[in-house]
Amino acid sequence: ARQNAVRLGAPVDFVVADLFEPLAGPFSIVATNLPYIPETVVEGLQAEVRDYEPRVALVGGPDGLDVYRRFFDDLPRVLARDGRVLCECGFTQADALERVAGERGFRCTDRLDDLQGIPRTIVFGF
C-alpha cells in the first residue's frame, strides 16, 4: 500500500490500529473491508484464500459480523455527522449488516452490487 501511495503521489498516512482506537476524526468518508467470513465456512473457501490469507483478516466470528459490531459501536465517535461509511460484506450478509448498523443508529443510504448483481458494498450514514 505504501509503494502504491508513493507511485501514485497520494498523500496517505498509514496507521496500525485496532479499528478506530488511536484515531480522533471526524472523517467524512470511511471505507472498510473488515473480516466478514463466518467461522463455519472458512474451510470451504478457495485454497488460495483459505491457505494463504491470515485468519484474522478473514474470520468475523460465528456469523461473520463480530468485527462490524465493534466497528459500528465506535463509529459515531469518529464519523462526521454528514459522513458516509462504505462496508464490504459477504454475498448473503447485506440484510444482516444493515440490521447491525441500524441497531447502532445508522441507516443504509445505498447498496452497491458486484458484477453478479449481489449487494457487496453497503453505504451507511447517520
Side-chain angles (χ1 to χ4, degrees):
R2 281 188 179 90
Q3 291 172 343
N4 282 337
V6 169
R7 183 177 56 82
L8 297 170
V12 178
D13 292 325
F14 293 93
V15 177
V16 176
D18 181 10
L19 298 175
F20 298 114
E21 180 257 323
L23 304 174
F27 299 105
S28 297
I29 298 174
V30 174
T32 185
N33 180 8
L34 297 174
Y36 58 77
I37 297 171
E39 292 171 351
T40 57
V41 301
V42 171
E43 293 308 315
L45 294 175
Q46 296 170 316
E48 59 268 20
V49 174
R50 179 192 65 232
D51 297 341
Y52 296 99
E53 294 291 331
R55 295 284 166 129
V56 69
L58 299 174
V59 179
D63 68 352
L65 297 175
D66 283 357
V67 180
Y68 271 113
R69 288 181 183 89
R70 289 182 48 229
F71 174 83
F72 279 106
D73 284 342
D74 198 25
L75 187 61
R77 184 178 65 77
V78 298
L79 187 67
R81 290 306 304 166
D82 60 347
R84 293 290 179 265
V85 58
L86 294 85
C87 301
E88 181 177 348
C89 63
F91 67 94
T92 63
Q93 293 174 316
D95 291 338
L97 182 57
E98 282 190 36
R99 278 191 300 279
V100 165
E103 291 167 356
R104 289 153 176 84
F106 292 89
R107 63 181 175 77
C108 174
T109 61
D110 201 4
R111 283 185 174 204
L112 307 171
D113 295 346
D114 65 15
L115 295 176
Q116 296 176 349
I118 299 167
R120 294 295 296 234
T121 302
I122 313 300
V123 182
F124 296 98
F126 284 108

